[in-house]
C-alpha cells in the first residue's frame, strides 16, 4: 500500500501547502484544493460500513472538508461513496468519484528476469533541471523527488519523464531502530524500502516506442540493490504506484511488468 506516499507527493507539489492534520492526513495545496486521505481500516472493515462510534467524528470532518469549493477525498473504504455527507453531492453532480488501483512490484522479481528493454536511439538522464523549467507549477518537487527524462540521441528532444518518491522516513526509522538494538544482521541494502512512482509520462508523439518501459527499468536499476543482494534479501525494494482502474491499457502494461494489485482507493472530488 502506498497511499501515505501519494499524500506526501501531493503535499510536496507546492511550497505553499497548509497542513490541517496529520491523522487523518488533511491539507490544502498551493492551488487551493483541500486533500483528505482516510486511513486504511482493518481487513474485516475494508468493504464494510464505517463503525458507529466513528461516524460522528467522520461526519464532522467531512462537513468541514467539503465546505471548500475544491476538495478531494481518498479512502480505502468504499462506504465513503454512500456516506450521508458525500452521496448527495455525487447524486446532484457536485462531486465525482473514481477508483484507483494501488500496485506494487518487488525488485526481486524483476532482477530475476534476464530480458531488458533496449533504448535504441534514446538515453535516460537526470531530469531535475528540465522538470523545474518545464513544470514550473510543480518545481517544488525537484527538492524531494528523483526525476529522470528520456532523450532522443539525435535531436535531444525529451520524450518523457518519470518522478519517484523514496520512503525516506521509513528508512530513517529502521536505521534508528537498528542502531538502538545494535544489530548488524540486516544491512540497509536488505531492508524493505518503498519507491513510489508519482508520475510517468510520455509525450503523445513518442508513445508506442517502449519509452515508458525504459523509464521504469531505469528506476528499478537506480532504486534497488544488485541482483545478488536482492536475491539474498528478505524484503527487497518495492516499487509502488497508482493507476485509475478504467485505464485498462496502463493496467495491462503494469501487469506485464510484474506489478500486482494491492488494493483499491476510492477517490471523490469536487
Amino acid at each position: 500500500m502506498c497511499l501515505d506516499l501519494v499524500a506526501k507527493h501531493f503535499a510536496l507539489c507546492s511550497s505553499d501547502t497548509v497542513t490541517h492534520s496529520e491523522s487523518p492526513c488533511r491539507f490544502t495545496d498551493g492551488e487551493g484544493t483541500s486533500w483528505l486521505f482516510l486511513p486504511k481500516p482493518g481487513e474485516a472493515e475494508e468493504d464494510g460500513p464505517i463503525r458507529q462510534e466513528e461516524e460522528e467524528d467522520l461526519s464532522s470532518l467531512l462537513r468541514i472538508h467539503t465546505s471548500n469549493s475544491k476538495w478531494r477525498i481518498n479512502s480505502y473504504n468504499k462506504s465513503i461513496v454512500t456516506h450521508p455527507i458525500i452521496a448527495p453531492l455525487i447524486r446532484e453532480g457536485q462531486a465525482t468519484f473514481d477508483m484507483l488501483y494501488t500496485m506494487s512490484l518487488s525488485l526481486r522479481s524483476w532482477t530475476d528476469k534476464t530480458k531488458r528493454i533496449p533504448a535504441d536511439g534514446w538515453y535516460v538522464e537526470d531530469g531535475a533541471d528540465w522538470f523545474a523549467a518545464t513544470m514550473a507549477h510543480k518545481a517544488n518537487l525537484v527538492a524531494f523527488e528523483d526525476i529522470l527524462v528520456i532523450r532522443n540521441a539525435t535531436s535531444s528532444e525529451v520524450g518523457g519523464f518519470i518522478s519517484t518518491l523514496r520512503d525516506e522516513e521509513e528508512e530513517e526509522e529502521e536505521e534508528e531502530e537498528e542502531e538502538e538494538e545494535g544489530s548488524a544482521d540486516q544491512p540497509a541494502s536488505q531492508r524493505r524500502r518503498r519507491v513510489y512512482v508519482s508520475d510517468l509520462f510520455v509525450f503523445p508523439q513518442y508513445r508506442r516506442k517502449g519509452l515508458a518501459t525504459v523509464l521504469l527499468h531505469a528506476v528499478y536499476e537506480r532504486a534497488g540493490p544488485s541482483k545478488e543482494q536482492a536475491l539474498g534479501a528478505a524484503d527487497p525494494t518495492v516499487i509502488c504506484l497508482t493507476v485509475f482502474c478504467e485505464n485498462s491499457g496502463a493496467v495491462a502494461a503494469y501487469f506485464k511488468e510484474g506489478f500486482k494489485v494491492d488494493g483499491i482507493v476510492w477517490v471523490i472530488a469536487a
Side-chain angles (χ1 to χ4, degrees), residues 103-105 216 220 239-241 254-255 257-261:
M103 306 183 75
S104 65
L105 169 70
L216 274 173
Y220 303 164
I239 307 296
C240 54
L241 51 81
Y254 290 132
F255 276 140
E257 276 292 291
F259 281 84
K260 63 181 181 66
V261 173

Side-chain angles (χ1 to χ4, degrees), residues 133-166:
T134 308
M135 308 288 180
H137 62 296
K138 295 183 178 180
N140 196 60
L141 289 175
V142 171
F144 304 98
E145 300 193 4
D146 298 320
I147 299 167
L148 299 174
V149 296
I150 186 164
R151 288 186 182 274
N152 184 279
T154 302
S155 67
S156 293
E157 288 290 322
V158 170
F161 70 91
I162 189 168
S163 57
T164 56
L165 176 64
R166 293 174 179 265

Side-chain angles (χ1 to χ4, degrees), residues 6-251:
V6 177
K8 185 175 182 179
H9 162 74
F10 284 106
L12 292 173
C13 281
S14 170
S15 60
D16 300 325
T17 294
V18 176
T19 300
H20 305 299
S21 65
E22 294 184 357
S23 182
C25 178
R26 193 169 82 88
F27 59 86
T28 299
D29 64 25
E31 296 182 353
T33 299
S34 293
W35 296 74
L36 172 61
F37 293 81
L38 295 174
K40 180 174 170 39
E43 292 299 327
E45 302 167 351
E46 186 164 348
D47 291 327
I50 298 168
R51 290 182 299 179
Q52 183 64 37
E53 59 267 31
E54 299 174 346
E55 180 65 29
E56 186 174 340
D57 288 343
L58 179 60
S59 295
S60 176
L61 176 62
L62 291 177
R63 287 192 185 94
I64 294 171
H65 188 71
T66 57
S67 64
N68 190 11
S69 59
K70 296 188 296 181
W71 53 266
R72 293 176 69 93
I73 299 171
N74 299 264
S75 173
Y76 283 115
N77 194 326
K78 68 181 181 182
S79 295
I80 191 68
V81 177
T82 57
H83 190 279
I85 302 296
I86 301 300
L89 298 177
I90 296 175
R91 188 167 54 248
E92 295 167 9
Q94 298 179 43
T96 60
F97 78 90
D98 287 294
M99 294 180 291
L100 284 175
Y101 284 134
T102 59
M103 306 183 75
S104 65
L105 169 70
S106 165
L107 285 193
R108 175 184 297 179
S109 64
W110 185 74
T111 53
D112 280 345
K113 297 179 181 179
T114 57
K115 183 179 180 181
R116 298 292 185 269
I117 303 298
D120 295 336
W122 298 85
Y123 64 94
V124 176
E125 66 175 9
D126 179 83
D129 291 341
W130 174 88
F131 187 89
T134 308
M135 308 288 180
H137 62 296
K138 295 183 178 180
N140 196 60
L141 289 175
V142 171
F144 304 98
E145 300 193 4
D146 298 320
I147 299 167
L148 299 174
V149 296
I150 186 164
R151 288 186 182 274
N152 184 279
T154 302
S155 67
S156 293
E157 288 290 322
V158 170
F161 70 91
I162 189 168
S163 57
T164 56
L165 176 64
R166 293 174 179 265
D167 193 8
E168 294 179 352
E169 291 182 0
E170 181 176 283
E171 291 179 8
E172 290 173 0
E173 289 174 2
E174 289 176 337
E175 288 172 1
E176 290 174 1
E177 290 175 3
E178 183 176 296
E179 290 175 0
E180 290 175 1
E181 296 173 1
S183 173
D185 295 334
Q186 192 178 36
S189 62
Q190 293 185 332
R191 287 196 300 270
R192 181 178 182 273
R193 295 172 294 175
R194 293 181 302 164
V195 176
Y196 168 59
V197 178
S198 58
D199 203 353
L200 172 57
F201 182 81
V202 175
F203 292 104
Q205 63 270 36
Y206 298 120
R207 291 174 184 170
R208 300 187 181 279
K209 297 179 183 294
L211 302 192
T213 302
V214 173
L215 284 166
L216 274 173
H217 287 194
V219 167
Y220 303 164
E221 291 171 349
R222 288 165 172 78
S226 66
K227 180 175 181 178
E228 291 73 20
Q229 289 174 314
L231 292 177
D235 293 298
T237 299
V238 173
I239 307 296
C240 54
L241 51 81
T242 60
V243 59
F244 283 106
C245 298
E246 64 184 20
N247 190 349
S248 57
V251 172

